[in-house]
Amino acid sequence: QVQLVESGGGLVQAGGSLRLSCATSESIFSISTMRWYRQAPGKQRDVVATITRDGSTNYADSVKGRFAISRDNAKKTVYLDVNSLKPEDTAVYYCNLQRVGAIVSYWGQGTQVVVSS
């Protein structure tokens, strides 16, 4: 079973920043697409950022220019820098690992981000 461990969430004021991390010990990390999702209370889980094995990135329109996804293959860790936070960014943030060519993907346990106004 693939294990992903997120960290870095917390309570922050609007306009603040956090760095979310998602670490794994899995050797398939370097050949996997990594995604960050978020789920606000009562809402569906939506993807916010994607980074491919070669470092290409993609963002949801709602976070473009404010969030940045990156990866360190040596550390088997993906990061999400969340800046200029807004109250509507409040959610549980989950990382997701999907090996290239695979159908199944794996989830972390989530890290809570709360943005106060």
Side-chain angles (χ1 to χ4, degrees):
Q1 181 71 17
V2 172
Q3 287 193 322
L4 302 167
V5 180
E6 297 108 330
S7 60
L11 173 63
V12 62
Q13 289 188 331
S17 299
L18 290 170
R19 167 169 263 205
L20 309 183
S21 300
C22 172
T24 184
S25 60
E26 297 297 325
S27 60
I28 60 172
F29 179 85
S30 64
I31 58 170
S32 297
T33 296
M34 299 300 297
R35 297 180 177 88
W36 283 97
Y37 287 74
R38 68 184 180 187
Q39 187 168 21
K43 296 189 176 182
Q44 67 180 23
R45 189 175 298 187
D46 292 322
V47 61
V48 294
T50 301
I51 187 165
T52 64
R53 57 184 293 186
D54 63 359
S56 298
T57 59
N58 193 47
Y59 298 93
D61 287 343
S62 59
V63 306
K64 279 181 182 177
R66 299 189 299 121
F67 289 12
I69 189 171
S70 60
R71 66 190 297 161
D72 185 331
N73 287 340
K75 294 183 178 180
K76 299 177 184 174
T77 300
V78 62
Y79 304 98
L80 186 68
D81 291 303
V82 295
N83 303 300
S84 302
L85 283 162
K86 306 175 182 179
E88 51 264 43
D89 294 318
T90 294
V92 178
Y93 286 71
Y94 298 90
C95 71
N96 178 275
L97 179 153
Q98 185 173 30
R99 184 176 58 85
V100 172
I103 296 174
V104 67
S105 67
Y106 301 92
W107 296 90
Q109 83 287 354
T111 186
Q112 176 78 55
V113 172
V114 177
V115 184
S116 63
S117 57

